[in-house]
Each structure stands twice: as structure tokens, then as C-alpha cells.
Amino acid sequence: MRSILANKKVETKDRQWLRSAEVRQMLGISAGTLQNLRINGTLPYQKIGGTMYYRSEDIETMMKGRAGHG
């Protein structure tokens, strides 16, 4: 089971665009927290059809910025 999860992490890390569920799992946040990040402009996104996508680069930038605020 661990090898499956490890492979999944590698897959998301190598992709440029991630879906909401992947971002929530990666950051360990709720859907509401992710919505707040969208609303206040902390995490840019693109909506295609009914699905929201987030750039891996934007997530990394946000996390680096938040690391300095603790």
C-alpha cells in the first residue's frame, strides 16, 4: 500500500496542473480552507468546465511564502 501512495505522490509532483482533491491531500487542508485560499487570492487557479486546476509552481510558491510566517 505504501508503494502505491509513494507512486501517487511522485505523479502529482511531476505534473504541472493539479485538481482540487490532489491539492487538498498534498497540503492536508479541507475543501473550505482551499476555497479561502482561492477567494483571498493566495492560490491562483484556473476553472475549466466545472473543475478547478492549480499549478504546482503556484502551490510551491505559496508554501515557501507561508514558511517564513511561522
Side-chain angles (χ1 to χ4, degrees):
M1 182 70 155
R2 284 186 180 167
S3 62
I4 293 170
L5 293 175
N7 289 340
K8 180 126 178 112
K9 287 181 183 177
V10 171
E11 288 173 15
T12 58
K13 184 172 181 164
D14 292 339
R15 291 190 3 233
Q16 183 178 0
W17 291 94
L18 303 173
R19 292 186 179 111
S20 294
E22 295 167 324
V23 174
R24 290 194 327 261
Q25 183 179 17
M26 187 168 74
L27 300 179
I29 60 174
S30 68
T33 300
L34 183 56
Q35 181 179 4
N36 287 336
L37 293 173
R38 286 194 308 266
I39 290 169
N40 67 24
T42 302
L43 186 57
Y45 68 98
Q46 290 289 320
K47 187 171 183 180
I48 301 173
T51 306
M52 292 181 213
Y53 292 92
Y54 307 83
R55 285 188 344 174
S56 299
E57 179 181 319
D58 291 334
I59 295 165
E60 290 175 25
T61 301
M62 180 192 73
M63 293 308 293
K64 286 177 184 173
R66 295 188 134 223
H69 289 86

